[in-house]
Amino acid sequence: KKAGAHTQKLMEMVIADDHTLVSFFRKRITCSCLDKKHKEVKSIKKMGYCNNDKCPLPGGKVERSKMLHCTRCSVAYYCSRDCQEAAWSEHREECKERAEEIAKFERIRNPNEV
């Protein structure tokens, strides 16, 4: 995975829904203490946040499985192509910097690949 792909998920953990939090910790805690809670919350859809500050959705929240991501930097996620295009002027510079950082990291991590 690209290094920047985890940024959005880390940010969402701060304001995550119950399903996301329980699933995250259940994978990392070896006891069965979260099994009951997981059964309660597994029907809750995992939600994400659109990177467009002017997103028309309430709170910019959208079902994570339906989100689109910036293919250049893999950091910004959007609810729709319209929101992605609307936010491009704000995202452009950050995207360029992130893409360069990711490329540099990938060159260090895989020095034999061109």
Side-chain angles (χ1 to χ4, degrees), residues 61-111:
K61 288 177 84 172
V62 63
E63 197 175 321
R64 241 184 20 217
S65 64
K66 296 181 180 178
M67 295 186 83
L68 307 171
H69 70 278
C70 176
T71 55
R72 184 177 184 197
C73 70
S74 298
V75 173
Y77 283 75
Y78 300 95
C79 67
S80 67
R81 179 82 174 140
D82 289 341
C83 268
Q84 186 175 12
E85 288 175 1
W88 176 243
S89 61
E90 294 173 20
H91 175 64
R92 180 182 300 142
E93 200 55 41
E94 176 188 2
C95 181
K96 179 182 174 187
E97 291 171 12
R98 293 283 183 148
E100 289 170 0
E101 288 172 12
I102 292 167
K104 182 179 178 181
F105 176 79
E106 292 297 328
R107 284 191 302 273
I108 292 168
R109 191 171 86 165
N110 302 310

Side-chain angles (χ1 to χ4, degrees), residues 4-51:
H6 300 291
T7 304
Q8 179 77 11
K9 290 179 183 166
L10 289 173
M11 290 187 326
E12 286 178 2
M13 289 302 294
V14 175
I15 48 178
D17 55 78
D18 287 349
H19 185 173
T20 301
L21 285 174
V22 171
S23 295
F24 176 84
F25 287 113
R26 187 169 176 249
K27 290 177 186 174
R28 288 155 180 85
I29 297 173
T30 56
C31 70
S32 60
C33 58
L34 289 173
D35 291 349
K36 182 179 176 185
K37 185 66 175 173
H38 183 259
K39 286 179 184 176
E40 292 174 18
V41 300
K42 70 180 181 180
S43 63
I44 297 173
K45 294 184 189 299
K46 291 183 176 184
M47 302 299 286
Y49 294 86
C50 182
N51 212 54

